[in-house]
Amino acid sequence: MARCIALVPAAGHGSRFGSATPKQYLDINGQPLLAHTLAVLAANPDIDQVAVVISPGDEWFDSFDWPQPKLTVLRVGGASRAESVANGLAALAPAADDWVLVHDAARCCLSPQALARLIAEIGDDAVGGILAQPVADTVKQGDAAARISATVPRDGLWLAQTPQMFRAGLLACALADAANPAITDEASAIELLGHAPRLVVGEAQNFKVTWPGDLALAAAILAARN
Ligand code: C5P
């Protein structure tokens, strides 16, 4: 029977965050950000294994306790997110028809409901799919001087989130050229093979902690949930 593996790239340095400690290790409500991310994945009964990809030179991971029994740690992070995912996949060597759910370490507010919805709606889809949010705001294109050059119709526009759920064999094939700058998420790699991944409605709270102000918002969301 096909297994379901969550693969969490956590080998970034969070340069936009501007902190000496990578953002995945910053404290949120008494735990590192990454612990919240791993906990929601591990709690899903359909997920058999949670693999986290950290940098080979990571100096922070071992200073925390990681109590999840489903957890596998892979010290194979690469130069880009796509390379970290490709390296993690190669190290895990799953069966070709196993499902892999790639989820950003920095999306620590993913709700159990959105995760379950993704797994249920993708089901046995031939391609796989992702959580995403239809764009709600008016979209502007800006020029180099930060002046509006165009208003972009938002019909049919979605913001990609994670998890992104694909069969391991198809994903490994799609990420064979992980250094391709056109690959900004797993879905874009699958699209380059000519496939059309499904869009499953995500949620605003599943945002990626990117800027310093995001930490307080994530803390408030997680505190309200608990
Ligand atoms: O930098 P950004 O927030 O877009 O990264 C998204 C996710 O990819 C984060 O969880 C980050 O740790 C991870 N990443 C990685 N290896 C890299 C760069 C980013 O695992 N070289």
Side-chain angles (χ1 to χ4, degrees), residues 132-225:
Q133 275 287 94
V135 171
D137 296 324
T138 297
V139 179
K140 302 295 186 188
Q141 187 164 352
D143 64 16
R147 292 205 162 263
I148 296 170
S149 55
T151 297
V152 181
R154 68 175 176 224
D155 300 344
L157 290 187
W158 296 66
L159 298 172
Q161 301 183 341
T162 68
Q164 303 205 351
M165 177 171 172
F166 297 101
R167 298 275 189 191
L170 179 63
L171 187 57
C173 185
L175 292 176
D177 181 20
N180 180 349
I183 298 179
T184 52
D185 63 356
E186 291 63 52
S188 60
I190 301 284
E191 292 160 51
L192 286 170
L193 294 181
H195 299 294
R198 275 199 54 191
L199 291 161
V200 175
V201 175
E203 55 190 0
Q205 63 188 268
N206 184 25
F207 69 98
K208 186 167 65 173
V209 172
T210 304
W211 309 105
D214 293 344
L215 215 53
L217 179 58
I221 291 170
L222 292 167
R225 196 177 291 166

Side-chain angles (χ1 to χ4, degrees), residues 9-12 16 23-24 53 78-81 84 104-106 208:
R16 286 168 295 191
K23 61 187 174 188
Q24 56 271 33
V53 178
S80 67
R81 181 184 180 285
S84 294
D104 289 328
K208 186 167 65 173

